[in-house]
Structures are given as structure tokens and as C-alpha cells.
């Protein structure tokens, strides 16, 4: 980071001094107003307000905001804010360069994520500049890109055997901080052995600072990831269907009904832990009622029924389910099972038929599987 701690401390001391001066002035202005000296009271009140405002600006200016910081403290909302020795000191002197991510990108099965800051962006200014090539990011607000980042195993890093490098648009933009790396490196390493690489949602912000900037000249950058809240939910409990299938886009939660009739099956699922993610397949079925037959969406786990959707919710999904089934593919939804062997709730995360556009249908449903 371009700035030193001395100016930062001086600004903080100035703010404290202004507060100390303002406190007795509050008492003076109050006394003058009570005694009828309105003019003097107003003068000291305005002076007090001016001092307090200056103190506020000094104290606030001492704390870098999300839009201004370049060398921000490496913080994740779910782990300690005190970073341990990490892999951020990698290739500055040609000592170590992380391997590029290879293999099939996979997205976490869970939809529950947490916000995490990446470490070491300030040491990768050239890489981040290439990410923003052709993008205007020299304004005061900078520029922001939203996309998906790859988390690559860098266990050969001499500074941290748990190192996980972060790649965005083909560029190495930082590392998971030490606490997050310790938490997520086992699954990242496991996927690497299988020839896969974890892909997560990411946001990258950058601003080219000028010489008169609070932090000095250079590139200010910040990389934010949205990591799975629990690494164990990155993979579902069961496997995807062997026959051709389509994983539906995620959407608002959909509650499955009549799970209590299928606890023999769901009991096996919750044995993996409450909150387990599963591959749920959806099927259009006809249900016989007292005087009529109605069409509903049935939910299955490994071919076994675990519930149905309500008539209202079935109507919102049936057009999509039937469209996929007529093309000899199985609709698959991301699902979560919460509860115990005695009672469990199944929730789907799936888009409604009205929320799926034609481009998605053309790319994932209408394509013919290779023979």
C-alpha cells in the first residue's frame, strides 16, 4: 500500500483533538443560550458544529472505504480478520508462480454463499490491468466487473501448503486469505485430482490512482468472491443421472410437499447431515383425486419419490419440465434437505418456466447429445 501509517495516525490524533476542544464549547454555548445571550450562544454552537464536523471527516477519512481502498486489510466475513502468514508473497522475485487452473470448471451445488475478500491484489496490478483492458476505470469511482472466478490448487506454494490461487478472466488476481484457504483447500485439491476446478461468482473493482490520491499513485483493486457457505455442500450427496439430463437454472426457493410420506428415503439423506444438498429430478405425473385427475410435478431422489409440488407451484414449473421431458432428457433441480430421521423438509432452488429464456433452452435443452 502506498500510504504509511504516520499520516493515518496524525489524522486520527487531529480528530481526537477537535473532539476534546468541542466538548467544553458545547457547555459554553448551552450556558449562553440559557442566560439569554442568544447571539453568543449561536456563535459557539456553530463553532462547535464546525469542530465536530472536522473531527468526523478526519476520523472517517482515516478508514478506507470499499470504493477507495487498494491495499485493504484481508477480511472475510466468516473467518478471523487477523490474517496469518499466507501465500500472497509468491512470484515477486521469480520464486514461485502458481499453476494455471486446468480441468473442467464446476459450480458449487449449494446456492448458499458467503462474502469473502481476496488477498494480494496489490501485488498483481499488471494482471488486473489486463483484466480491465478496454474498460474505463480511471474515474474517481473506478470500474467493476462481475463474473466467475476459478479457484486453483497451489499446494506447491513454498509459503503456504493450503494456498488457493484466484483467477479471473484468465489472470491470476490473488489468493484466498490464509483462513479461507485452510477451509476450502481440501475440496479444491480433491477436485484438482479429478481434473476439475471450482468456479464461483466474483466481483472485481479497480481504479487507477493519481499522485495526489490519499493512498498515492498506482492501481487500487479489490476482488470479492461469493464462496459456498459450507465446503461440504459444494458436492451433492448423490450423483447426477446417467441418462441425458438438464440442470435447471437456480431461482427462488420452492417448498416440496408430502415429504412426511417418504421418510424412509429422506432418512438416508439426512444421515449425511442436515442441510445436505441433493440432486433432485423432476417429473410430470398425474395424481388421482376424489373426483378428478390433476397433473403435478413429482420430486425424486435417485429414482425414489420424496414428495410433490403443490398444484399452484406445479403449474409454474410443468411447462418447463414437460418441454425437457419431450426431448428425452431429465430435468434436474438443486435441492436441500433439512431435518432429522423423524422429519425433514426438502427445498428446491429452481427458476420458474416464465423465468427461463429461449437462449438457455437452445443451449441446454434443444441440443442433441452426441451418440
Amino acid at each position: 500500500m502506498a500510504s504509511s501509517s504516520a499520516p493515518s495516525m496524525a489524522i486520527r490524533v487531529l480528530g481526537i483533538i477537535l473532539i476534546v476542544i468541542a466538548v467544553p464549547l458545547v457547555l459554553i454555548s448551552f450556558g449562553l443560550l440559557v442566560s439569554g445571550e442568544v447571539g453568543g450562544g449561536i456563535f459557539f454552537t456553530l463553532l462547535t458544529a464546525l469542530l465536530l464536523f472536522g473531527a468526523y471527516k478526519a476520523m472517517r477519512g482515516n478508514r478506507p472505504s470499499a470504493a477507495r481502498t487498494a491495499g485493504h486489510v484481508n477480511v472475510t466475513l466468516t473467518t478471523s480478520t487477523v490474517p496469518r502468514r499466507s501465500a500472497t508473497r509468491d512470484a515477486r522475485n521469480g520464486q514461485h508462480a502458481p499453476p494455471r487452473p486446468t480441468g473442467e470448471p464446476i459450480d458449487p451445488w449449494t446456492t448458499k454463499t458467503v462474502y469473502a475478500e481476496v488477498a494480494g491484489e496489490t501485488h498483481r496490478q499488471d494482471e488486473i490491468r489486463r483484466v480491465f483492458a478496454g474498460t474505463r476505470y480511471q474515474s474517481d469511482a473506478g470500474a467493476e466487473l462481475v463474473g466467475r472466478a476459478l479457484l486453483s490448487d497451489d499446494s506447491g506454494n513454498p509459503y503456504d501448503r493450503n494456498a488457493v490461487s484466484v483467477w479471473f478472466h484468465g489472470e491470476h488476481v490473488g489468493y484466498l486469505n490464509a483462513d479461507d484457504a485452510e477451509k476450502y483447500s481440501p475440496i479444491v485439491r480433491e477436485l484438482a485430482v479429478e481434473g476439475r476446478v471450482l468456479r464461483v461468482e466474483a466481483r472485481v473493482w479497480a481504479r487507477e490512482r493519481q499522485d495526489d490520491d490519499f493512498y498515492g499513485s498506482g492501481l487500487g483493486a479489490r476482488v470479492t468472491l461469493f464462496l459456498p457457505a459450507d465446503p461440504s455442500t459444494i458436492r451433492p450427496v448423490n450423483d447426477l443421472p446417467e441418462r441425458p439430463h438438464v440442470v435447471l437454472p437456480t431461482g427462488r426457493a420452492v417448498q416440496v410437499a408430502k415429504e412426511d410420506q417418504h421418510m424412509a428415503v429422506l432418512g438416508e439423506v439426512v444421515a449425511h447431515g442436515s442441510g445436505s444438498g441433493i440432486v433432485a429430478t423432476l417429473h410430470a405425473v398425474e395424481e388421482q383425486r376424489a373426483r378428478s385427475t390433476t397433473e403435478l410435478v413429482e420430486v425424486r431422489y435417485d429414482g425414489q419419490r420424496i414428495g410433490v409440488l403443490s398444484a399452484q407451484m406445479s403449474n409454474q414449473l410443468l411447462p418447463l419440465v414437460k418441454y425437457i421431458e419431450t426431448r428425452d432428457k431429465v430435468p434436474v433441480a438443486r435441492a436441500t434437505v433439512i431435518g432429522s430421521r423423524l422429519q425433514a423438509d426438502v427445498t428446491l432452488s429452481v427458476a420458474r418456466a416464465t423465468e427461463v429464456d429461449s437462449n438457455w433452452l437452445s443451449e441446454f435443452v434443444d441440443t442433441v447429445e452426441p451418440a
Side-chain angles (χ1 to χ4, degrees):
M1 186 164 60
S3 62
S4 65
S5 60
S8 178
M9 181 60 68
I11 293 174
R12 181 180 291 274
V13 171
L14 175 61
I16 294 173
I17 292 174
L18 291 176
I19 293 175
V20 171
I21 296 174
V23 170
L25 292 182
V26 172
L27 300 177
I28 294 173
S29 61
F30 179 75
L32 290 172
L33 291 171
V34 171
S35 63
E37 297 289 339
V38 178
I42 292 176
F43 171 77
F44 279 100
T45 299
L46 293 175
L47 180 59
T48 302
L50 183 62
L51 290 172
L52 290 175
F53 179 74
Y56 168 79
K57 294 290 288 184
M59 300 295 285
R60 184 173 179 83
N62 190 49
R63 291 175 11 220
S65 68
R68 294 171 56 199
T69 182
H72 58 280
V73 179
N74 300 323
V75 178
T76 175
L77 298 185
T78 57
T79 58
S80 170
T81 59
V82 182
R84 302 195 304 272
R85 185 184 184 192
S86 70
T88 56
R89 301 177 295 169
D90 62 317
R92 278 170 280 172
N93 296 313
Q95 298 175 356
H96 175 76
R100 298 186 69 84
T102 58
E104 175 192 2
I106 69 161
D107 301 318
W109 194 252
T110 178
T111 57
K112 185 177 181 181
T113 61
V114 291
Y115 166 97
E117 293 290 352
V118 168
E121 308 100 311
T122 53
H123 304 304
R124 290 161 190 88
Q125 296 192 14
D126 291 341
E127 292 89 337
I128 294 176
R129 284 190 177 100
R130 288 196 291 269
V131 167
F132 281 89
T135 303
R136 295 179 60 87
Y137 63 103
Q138 296 185 358
S139 66
D140 290 341
E144 185 177 85
L145 295 175
V146 177
R148 291 188 287 184
L150 298 178
L151 304 187
S152 183
D153 174 44
D154 188 22
S155 51
N157 191 297
Y159 301 107
D160 188 351
R161 62 183 179 84
N162 292 320
V164 176
S165 58
V166 180
W167 298 74
F168 188 84
H169 287 193
E171 298 290 345
H172 178 216
V173 295
Y175 280 95
L176 293 189
N177 70 43
D179 290 323
D180 284 336
E182 184 175 12
K183 180 178 179 181
Y184 293 94
S185 61
I187 182 64
V188 170
R189 193 175 303 127
E190 183 180 314
L191 291 171
V193 172
E194 299 173 1
R196 299 178 177 180
V197 57
L198 182 61
R199 180 170 57 188
V200 298
E201 297 295 324
R203 183 175 63 224
V204 182
W205 171 87
R207 179 171 66 89
E208 202 70 62
R209 303 187 307 250
Q210 305 304 316
D211 292 337
D212 59 350
D213 191 273
F214 182 82
Y215 295 101
S217 61
L219 183 73
R222 186 172 188 172
V223 180
T224 305
L225 301 179
F226 299 90
L227 299 174
D230 183 349
S232 67
T233 61
I234 290 175
R235 295 176 181 270
V237 170
N238 55 328
D239 296 325
L240 289 162
E242 293 184 359
R243 59 174 294 193
H245 58 271
V246 178
V247 179
L248 303 179
T250 57
R252 292 165 292 163
V254 175
Q255 182 64 50
V256 177
K258 299 185 179 180
E259 306 103 309
D260 58 320
Q261 300 177 10
H262 310 285
M263 286 307 303
V265 179
L266 291 176
E268 300 175 6
V269 178
V270 295
H272 295 275
S274 180
S276 295
I278 66 169
V279 173
T281 58
L282 307 183
H283 309 266
V285 298
E286 290 188 350
E287 294 274 309
Q288 186 65 46
R289 295 190 173 179
R291 297 183 179 180
S292 63
T293 299
T294 186
E295 198 169 21
L296 299 175
V297 173
E298 181 179 80
V299 183
R300 299 177 190 171
Y301 168 82
D302 286 350
Q304 303 176 84
R305 177 171 168 144
I306 56 174
V308 294
L309 302 186
S310 67
Q312 180 181 4
M313 188 54 62
S314 291
N315 288 336
Q316 296 184 39
L317 285 175
L318 271 171
L320 178 58
V321 170
K322 294 170 72 173
Y323 184 89
I324 296 172
E325 288 183 331
T326 57
R327 281 147 182 81
D328 295 324
K329 296 180 180 180
V330 179
V332 171
R334 301 170 189 269
T336 304
V337 181
I338 298 176
S340 67
R341 293 173 58 189
L342 302 178
Q343 184 176 4
D345 291 326
V346 181
T347 305
L348 309 180
S349 176
V350 61
R352 281 61 168 171
T354 56
E355 299 169 341
V356 176
D357 61 35
S358 57
N359 291 332
W360 183 88
L361 293 173
S362 298
E363 182 177 359
F364 297 103
V365 182
D366 299 334
T367 54
V368 179
E369 294 290 330

Short mmCIF file of all heavy atoms in Angstrom, two decimals, residues 268-301:
data_model
loop_
_atom_site.label_atom_id
_atom_site.label_comp_id
_atom_site.label_asym_id
_atom_site.label_seq_id
_atom_site.Cartn_x
_atom_site.Cartn_y
_atom_site.Cartn_z
N GLU A 268 -32.20 -41.54 4.88
CA GLU A 268 -30.87 -41.85 4.35
C GLU A 268 -30.12 -40.56 3.99
O GLU A 268 -28.91 -40.46 4.16
CB GLU A 268 -30.98 -42.74 3.11
CG GLU A 268 -31.67 -44.07 3.36
CD GLU A 268 -31.86 -44.85 2.07
OE1 GLU A 268 -31.34 -44.39 1.02
OE2 GLU A 268 -32.50 -45.91 2.09
N VAL A 269 -30.87 -39.58 3.49
CA VAL A 269 -30.24 -38.32 3.07
C VAL A 269 -29.74 -37.54 4.28
O VAL A 269 -28.59 -37.09 4.31
CB VAL A 269 -31.23 -37.45 2.26
CG1 VAL A 269 -30.57 -36.13 1.89
CG2 VAL A 269 -31.69 -38.19 1.02
N VAL A 270 -30.58 -37.37 5.30
CA VAL A 270 -30.18 -36.57 6.46
C VAL A 270 -29.10 -37.26 7.28
O VAL A 270 -28.46 -36.63 8.13
CB VAL A 270 -31.40 -36.24 7.36
CG1 VAL A 270 -32.37 -35.35 6.63
CG2 VAL A 270 -32.08 -37.49 7.85
N ALA A 271 -28.87 -38.54 7.01
CA ALA A 271 -27.74 -39.22 7.68
C ALA A 271 -26.42 -38.58 7.28
O ALA A 271 -25.43 -38.65 8.01
CB ALA A 271 -27.74 -40.70 7.33
N HIS A 272 -26.40 -37.91 6.12
CA HIS A 272 -25.21 -37.19 5.69
C HIS A 272 -25.09 -35.84 6.39
O HIS A 272 -24.06 -35.18 6.27
CB HIS A 272 -25.25 -36.96 4.17
CG HIS A 272 -25.19 -38.22 3.36
ND1 HIS A 272 -24.00 -38.82 3.02
CD2 HIS A 272 -26.17 -38.99 2.83
CE1 HIS A 272 -24.24 -39.91 2.31
NE2 HIS A 272 -25.55 -40.04 2.18
N GLY A 273 -26.13 -35.44 7.08
CA GLY A 273 -26.13 -34.16 7.77
C GLY A 273 -27.28 -33.29 7.33
O GLY A 273 -27.62 -33.24 6.14
N SER A 274 -27.91 -32.61 8.30
CA SER A 274 -28.99 -31.69 7.95
C SER A 274 -28.43 -30.54 7.13
O SER A 274 -27.38 -29.99 7.44
CB SER A 274 -29.64 -31.14 9.23
OG SER A 274 -30.68 -30.24 8.93
N GLY A 275 -29.13 -30.19 6.06
CA GLY A 275 -28.65 -29.16 5.15
C GLY A 275 -27.90 -29.72 3.96
O GLY A 275 -27.32 -28.96 3.18
N SER A 276 -27.93 -31.04 3.81
CA SER A 276 -27.22 -31.67 2.69
C SER A 276 -27.86 -31.27 1.36
O SER A 276 -29.08 -31.16 1.24
CB SER A 276 -27.25 -33.19 2.82
OG SER A 276 -26.54 -33.62 3.97
N GLY A 277 -27.02 -31.06 0.37
CA GLY A 277 -27.51 -30.78 -0.97
C GLY A 277 -27.69 -32.07 -1.74
O GLY A 277 -26.87 -32.99 -1.63
N ILE A 278 -28.75 -32.16 -2.51
CA ILE A 278 -29.02 -33.37 -3.28
C ILE A 278 -29.38 -33.01 -4.71
O ILE A 278 -29.80 -31.90 -5.01
CB ILE A 278 -30.17 -34.21 -2.66
CG1 ILE A 278 -31.50 -33.45 -2.75
CG2 ILE A 278 -29.85 -34.61 -1.24
CD1 ILE A 278 -32.71 -34.31 -2.40
N VAL A 279 -29.20 -34.01 -5.58
CA VAL A 279 -29.68 -33.92 -6.96
C VAL A 279 -31.11 -34.41 -6.97
O VAL A 279 -31.38 -35.58 -6.69
CB VAL A 279 -28.82 -34.79 -7.90
CG1 VAL A 279 -29.43 -34.84 -9.29
CG2 VAL A 279 -27.39 -34.26 -7.95
N ALA A 280 -32.05 -33.54 -7.25
CA ALA A 280 -33.47 -33.91 -7.30
C ALA A 280 -33.92 -33.89 -8.76
O ALA A 280 -33.66 -32.93 -9.49
CB ALA A 280 -34.31 -32.94 -6.48
N THR A 281 -34.57 -34.95 -9.19
CA THR A 281 -35.12 -34.96 -10.54
C THR A 281 -36.61 -34.65 -10.49
O THR A 281 -37.30 -35.02 -9.53
CB THR A 281 -34.89 -36.33 -11.21
OG1 THR A 281 -35.50 -37.36 -10.42
CG2 THR A 281 -33.40 -36.61 -11.34
N LEU A 282 -37.09 -33.95 -11.51
CA LEU A 282 -38.49 -33.52 -11.56
C LEU A 282 -39.21 -34.26 -12.68
O LEU A 282 -38.65 -34.45 -13.77
CB LEU A 282 -38.57 -32.01 -11.79
CG LEU A 282 -37.77 -31.13 -10.82
CD1 LEU A 282 -38.01 -29.65 -11.11
CD2 LEU A 282 -38.11 -31.45 -9.37
N HIS A 283 -40.45 -34.65 -12.42
CA HIS A 283 -41.21 -35.45 -13.38
C HIS A 283 -42.67 -35.02 -13.39
O HIS A 283 -43.27 -34.78 -12.34
CB HIS A 283 -41.14 -36.94 -13.00
CG HIS A 283 -39.73 -37.42 -12.78
ND1 HIS A 283 -38.98 -38.01 -13.77
CD2 HIS A 283 -38.94 -37.38 -11.67
CE1 HIS A 283 -37.79 -38.32 -13.29
NE2 HIS A 283 -37.73 -37.95 -12.02
N ALA A 284 -43.24 -34.91 -14.58
CA ALA A 284 -44.67 -34.60 -14.71
C ALA A 284 -45.46 -35.89 -14.49
O ALA A 284 -45.23 -36.90 -15.17
CB ALA A 284 -44.95 -34.03 -16.09
N VAL A 285 -46.37 -35.88 -13.50
CA VAL A 285 -47.17 -37.07 -13.17
C VAL A 285 -48.63 -36.67 -13.01
O VAL A 285 -48.94 -35.51 -12.76
CB VAL A 285 -46.68 -37.75 -11.88
CG1 VAL A 285 -45.25 -38.24 -12.03
CG2 VAL A 285 -46.79 -36.80 -10.68
N GLU A 286 -49.50 -37.64 -13.15
CA GLU A 286 -50.93 -37.42 -12.91
C GLU A 286 -51.31 -38.01 -11.56
O GLU A 286 -51.01 -39.17 -11.29
CB GLU A 286 -51.77 -38.05 -14.03
CG GLU A 286 -51.65 -37.33 -15.36
CD GLU A 286 -52.63 -37.86 -16.40
OE1 GLU A 286 -53.26 -38.91 -16.12
OE2 GLU A 286 -52.78 -37.22 -17.45
N GLU A 287 -51.93 -37.19 -10.74
CA GLU A 287 -52.35 -37.62 -9.41
C GLU A 287 -53.87 -37.78 -9.40
O GLU A 287 -54.60 -36.87 -9.82
CB GLU A 287 -51.93 -36.58 -8.37
CG GLU A 287 -50.43 -36.46 -8.18
CD GLU A 287 -49.88 -37.45 -7.19
OE1 GLU A 287 -50.40 -37.55 -6.07
OE2 GLU A 287 -48.90 -38.15 -7.55
N GLN A 288 -54.33 -38.93 -8.91
CA GLN A 288 -55.77 -39.20 -8.83
C GLN A 288 -56.33 -38.60 -7.56
O GLN A 288 -55.85 -38.87 -6.46
CB GLN A 288 -56.03 -40.72 -8.87
CG GLN A 288 -57.49 -41.08 -8.95
CD GLN A 288 -58.13 -40.64 -10.27
OE1 GLN A 288 -57.57 -40.84 -11.34
NE2 GLN A 288 -59.31 -40.03 -10.18
N ARG A 289 -57.36 -37.78 -7.72
CA ARG A 289 -58.03 -37.21 -6.57
C ARG A 289 -59.44 -37.76 -6.49
O ARG A 289 -59.83 -38.61 -7.30
CB ARG A 289 -58.02 -35.68 -6.64
CG ARG A 289 -56.59 -35.12 -6.55
CD ARG A 289 -56.56 -33.63 -6.38
NE ARG A 289 -55.20 -33.16 -6.13
CZ ARG A 289 -54.86 -31.90 -5.95
NH1 ARG A 289 -55.81 -30.95 -6.02
NH2 ARG A 289 -53.61 -31.56 -5.71
N ALA A 290 -60.20 -37.28 -5.54
CA ALA A 290 -61.53 -37.86 -5.29
C ALA A 290 -62.40 -37.88 -6.54
O ALA A 290 -62.98 -38.91 -6.89
CB ALA A 290 -62.23 -37.09 -4.17
N ARG A 291 -62.47 -36.78 -7.25
CA ARG A 291 -63.37 -36.71 -8.40
C ARG A 291 -62.67 -36.31 -9.69
O ARG A 291 -63.33 -36.10 -10.70
CB ARG A 291 -64.49 -35.71 -8.10
CG ARG A 291 -65.38 -36.12 -6.94
CD ARG A 291 -66.51 -35.12 -6.76
NE ARG A 291 -67.40 -35.50 -5.68
CZ ARG A 291 -68.47 -34.80 -5.31
NH1 ARG A 291 -68.77 -33.67 -5.96
NH2 ARG A 291 -69.23 -35.21 -4.32
N SER A 292 -61.36 -36.18 -9.63
CA SER A 292 -60.66 -35.73 -10.83
C SER A 292 -59.21 -36.18 -10.80
O SER A 292 -58.73 -36.74 -9.81
CB SER A 292 -60.72 -34.20 -10.95
OG SER A 292 -60.05 -33.61 -9.84
N THR A 293 -58.55 -35.91 -11.89
CA THR A 293 -57.12 -36.19 -12.01
C THR A 293 -56.41 -34.86 -12.26
O THR A 293 -56.86 -34.05 -13.07
CB THR A 293 -56.84 -37.14 -13.18
OG1 THR A 293 -57.52 -38.38 -12.93
CG2 THR A 293 -55.35 -37.41 -13.30
N THR A 294 -55.32 -34.64 -11.54
CA THR A 294 -54.57 -33.39 -11.71
C THR A 294 -53.12 -33.70 -12.03
O THR A 294 -52.59 -34.74 -11.63
CB THR A 294 -54.66 -32.52 -10.44
OG1 THR A 294 -54.04 -31.27 -10.68
CG2 THR A 294 -53.98 -33.21 -9.26
N GLU A 295 -52.50 -32.81 -12.76
CA GLU A 295 -51.11 -33.01 -13.15
C GLU A 295 -50.21 -32.21 -12.21
O GLU A 295 -50.42 -31.01 -12.00
CB GLU A 295 -50.91 -32.55 -14.60
CG GLU A 295 -49.64 -33.10 -15.23
CD GLU A 295 -49.60 -32.87 -16.74
OE1 GLU A 295 -50.32 -31.97 -17.22
OE2 GLU A 295 -48.85 -33.58 -17.43
N LEU A 296 -49.23 -32.89 -11.64
CA LEU A 296 -48.32 -32.27 -10.69
C LEU A 296 -46.87 -32.57 -11.07
O LEU A 296 -46.60 -33.40 -11.94
CB LEU A 296 -48.58 -32.80 -9.27
CG LEU A 296 -49.97 -32.56 -8.68
CD1 LEU A 296 -50.07 -33.25 -7.32
CD2 LEU A 296 -50.27 -31.08 -8.55
N VAL A 297 -45.95 -31.90 -10.39
CA VAL A 297 -44.53 -32.18 -10.54
C VAL A 297 -44.08 -33.05 -9.38
O VAL A 297 -44.21 -32.66 -8.21
CB VAL A 297 -43.69 -30.89 -10.58
CG1 VAL A 297 -42.19 -31.22 -10.57
CG2 VAL A 297 -44.04 -30.06 -11.81
N GLU A 298 -43.59 -34.22 -9.69
CA GLU A 298 -43.09 -35.15 -8.67
C GLU A 298 -41.58 -34.95 -8.51
O GLU A 298 -40.85 -34.72 -9.48
CB GLU A 298 -43.37 -36.59 -9.09
CG GLU A 298 -42.92 -37.63 -8.07
CD GLU A 298 -43.25 -39.04 -8.54
OE1 GLU A 298 -42.49 -39.58 -9.37
OE2 GLU A 298 -44.28 -39.59 -8.09
N VAL A 299 -41.12 -35.02 -7.26
CA VAL A 299 -39.70 -34.85 -6.94
C VAL A 299 -39.12 -36.19 -6.52
O VAL A 299 -39.68 -36.87 -5.65
CB VAL A 299 -39.51 -33.81 -5.82
CG1 VAL A 299 -38.02 -33.57 -5.55
CG2 VAL A 299 -40.20 -32.50 -6.18
N ARG A 300 -38.00 -36.58 -7.12
CA ARG A 300 -37.37 -37.88 -6.81
C ARG A 300 -35.92 -37.71 -6.43
O ARG A 300 -35.22 -36.79 -6.88
CB ARG A 300 -37.48 -38.82 -8.02
CG ARG A 300 -38.90 -39.13 -8.45
CD ARG A 300 -38.91 -40.01 -9.70
NE ARG A 300 -40.25 -40.13 -10.26
CZ ARG A 300 -40.53 -40.68 -11.44
NH1 ARG A 300 -39.52 -41.17 -12.18
NH2 ARG A 300 -41.77 -40.75 -11.88
N TYR A 301 -35.47 -38.65 -5.59
CA TYR A 301 -34.07 -38.76 -5.19
C TYR A 301 -33.58 -40.14 -5.59
O TYR A 301 -34.09 -41.15 -5.09
CB TYR A 301 -33.94 -38.55 -3.67
CG TYR A 301 -32.59 -38.92 -3.08
CD1 TYR A 301 -31.53 -38.04 -3.14
CD2 TYR A 301 -32.40 -40.15 -2.46
CE1 TYR A 301 -30.30 -38.36 -2.60
CE2 TYR A 301 -31.17 -40.48 -1.91
CZ TYR A 301 -30.12 -39.58 -1.98
OH TYR A 301 -28.90 -39.92 -1.44
#
